[in-house]
Amino acid sequence: MKKSIAHIPGRKQEDLEYLVKLILERIPQTQMIILYGSYARGDYVTYDRRVEFGVSTSYRSDYDILVVTHGVDDKSVGTKLNNIDDIYYKHPDLQTPVQFINEDIKTLNKYISDGRYFYTQIRAEGVILYDSAKFKLARKRRLNYEEIRKQAEEYFQEKHQRGNYFLEDAISNSKKERFQMAAFYLHQATENFFYAVRLVFTLQNNKQHNLQKLIASVRKYSSGFIEIFPCNTAEEKRLFELLKAAYVEARYNPKFVVTAEDCKVLTRKIGALGKLVEELCRKRLEEYGQMIEQEDIEKK
């Protein structure tokens, strides 16, 4: 794990030093403070203002900070981090938003050792801002198939269920003739169904909202994805582009046109996608079961 923030401008380094000072003063059980996300990688956005669909918006990257503790309950740490938030935002010169998460060192090391994708990514990309030197971070170990199946089952249940919830929200909004919002929920359902496949098959899932890239990442697992979303005709292309664009335009563009028929056709497609994903994932989980049996035979 990296230990230098030399790639960050001096004023930002001062922000982070101030946050570290506040954390250590108020949470003495802190063992590590880790910067992750865009500021750790170096692809952060300092400030960006633009007009999108007639709406003025601004964006700046957050400081994403993991506070690693030992011997203190999560609720207490959460309360203190909220207080640090309040102190930080009262300072007139501090403009960059900050997002905290907290984990106990034992829990964190279990997640890393088990290959949980979010935490292994922090382990790979993060920058240590403070280290008590009392603990070491675990390394990702090779999982046996029983562990792989367990993780894959958890990811499937989470993402597939979330996809179904978004699909239900889309149907509800369509019935109320809120077609823009229905399109946004249809996008979210699609995104989560694709996430389910990626996680079950690889246990990895980089955050991605672009449906074109998502479908490209899963189509090797089944020709059914292209059958559900063919792009052979102008209308098929239009519908997929509408679904793809809905992530942004359905929320920010009051002139974004989505018809009742668009929602009807897309709802049918995404319902079929949910069924395909369930079939693929359950089949893969069964294959993990067969691999477990093979491992057991080889051990004997």
Side-chain angles (χ1 to χ4, degrees):
M1 183 171 284
K2 295 172 286 187
K3 296 184 179 180
S4 172
I5 54 172
H7 63 286
I8 298 174
R11 185 65 188 85
K12 302 292 185 182
Q13 293 182 37
E14 292 174 10
D15 289 355
L16 294 171
E17 289 168 3
Y18 179 60
L19 285 165
V20 168
K21 179 175 177 288
L22 289 176
I23 293 166
L24 295 179
E25 284 176 353
R26 286 159 177 77
I27 311 173
Q29 301 91 342
T30 298
Q31 303 304 319
M32 297 180 192
I33 302 174
I34 301 172
L35 177 71
Y36 68 98
S38 60
Y39 272 97
R41 294 190 302 269
D43 56 1
Y44 55 88
V45 175
T46 302
Y47 185 77
D48 181 32
R49 177 173 287 279
R50 64 184 64 181
V51 176
E52 294 182 301
F53 317 119
V55 180
S56 179
T57 63
S58 63
Y59 173 77
R60 54 168 60 91
S61 297
D62 297 346
Y63 297 134
D64 296 305
I65 295 177
L66 167 60
V67 179
V68 185
T69 54
H70 178 62
V72 60
D73 68 273
D74 295 342
K75 185 176 181 181
S76 172
V77 175
T79 299
K80 290 176 181 178
L81 288 175
N82 286 337
N83 291 338
I84 291 169
D85 256 353
D86 294 340
I87 294 168
Y88 175 78
Y89 288 120
K90 284 179 182 177
H91 199 294
D93 296 328
L94 302 178
Q95 299 296 322
T96 303
V98 59
Q99 297 291 333
F100 292 116
I101 58 172
N102 163 242
E103 293 293 350
D104 181 86
I105 184 64
K106 292 182 179 179
T107 303
L108 175 62
N109 275 341
K110 184 177 187 309
Y111 288 156
I112 294 172
S113 179
D114 290 349
R116 296 288 177 169
Y117 69 95
F118 176 72
Y119 296 94
T120 54
Q121 190 171 24
I122 291 177
R123 176 75 166 79
E125 299 178 350
V127 179
I128 290 279
L129 301 178
Y130 167 80
D131 186 356
S132 72
K134 294 178 182 178
F135 298 90
K136 290 185 178 181
L137 291 179
R139 293 185 178 276
K140 180 182 175 180
R141 60 186 173 80
R142 183 177 179 179
L143 304 180
N144 61 44
Y145 282 112
E146 186 168 353
E147 292 171 318
I148 291 171
R149 183 179 68 173
K150 183 175 183 294
Q151 267 196 51
E153 176 72 33
E154 290 174 5
Y155 289 143
F156 166 65
Q157 294 294 343
E158 175 194 350
K159 297 300 182 183
H160 192 263
Q161 184 179 69
R162 187 171 295 178
N164 281 327
Y165 288 161
F166 279 122
L167 184 56
E168 290 173 6
D169 288 339
I171 293 169
S172 175
N173 275 272
S174 288
K175 289 178 179 178
K176 296 174 183 177
E177 299 186 355
R178 299 170 184 166
F179 300 125
Q180 285 189 350
M181 285 307 302
F184 171 72
Y185 287 128
L186 287 168
H187 177 285
Q188 291 294 280
T190 306
E191 184 178 304
N192 276 274
F193 287 145
F194 286 149
Y195 283 172
V197 176
R198 299 203 319 180
L199 283 162
V200 168
F201 279 79
T202 70
L203 302 186
Q204 298 179 17
N205 188 46
N206 293 333
K207 193 173 183 181
Q208 176 63 256
H209 301 299
N210 187 317
L211 296 186
Q212 190 71 54
K213 293 181 179 180
L214 280 171
I215 197 170
S217 72
V218 300
R219 62 187 176 193
K220 59 187 173 184
Y221 302 120
S222 172
S223 60
F225 294 114
I226 302 303
E227 292 172 8
I228 292 171
F229 294 112
C231 287
N232 301 318
T233 68
E235 177 60 9
E236 289 169 347
K237 291 177 182 177
R238 183 191 72 81
L239 279 173
F240 187 76
E241 286 301 316
L242 183 148
L243 181 63
K244 178 182 167 185
Y247 179 70
V248 173
E249 295 214 25
R251 291 179 293 166
Y252 301 120
N253 182 4
K255 296 180 180 179
F256 183 52
V257 177
V258 184
T259 67
E261 183 63 21
D262 291 336
C263 288
K264 180 180 178 181
V265 175
L266 287 171
T267 297
R268 185 170 63 247
K269 285 177 174 286
I270 295 160
L273 175 65
K275 292 177 182 177
L276 172 63
V277 167
E278 181 173 12
E279 179 184 331
L280 285 174
C281 290
R282 292 200 183 281
K283 182 179 178 182
R284 185 59 175 165
L285 291 169
E286 288 176 7
E287 290 171 354
Y288 286 142
Q290 294 167 6
M291 294 171 187
I292 293 169
E293 292 176 4
Q294 185 61 36
E295 270 189 338
D296 291 340
I297 292 171
E298 291 173 358
K299 288 177 184 177
K300 293 178 180 178

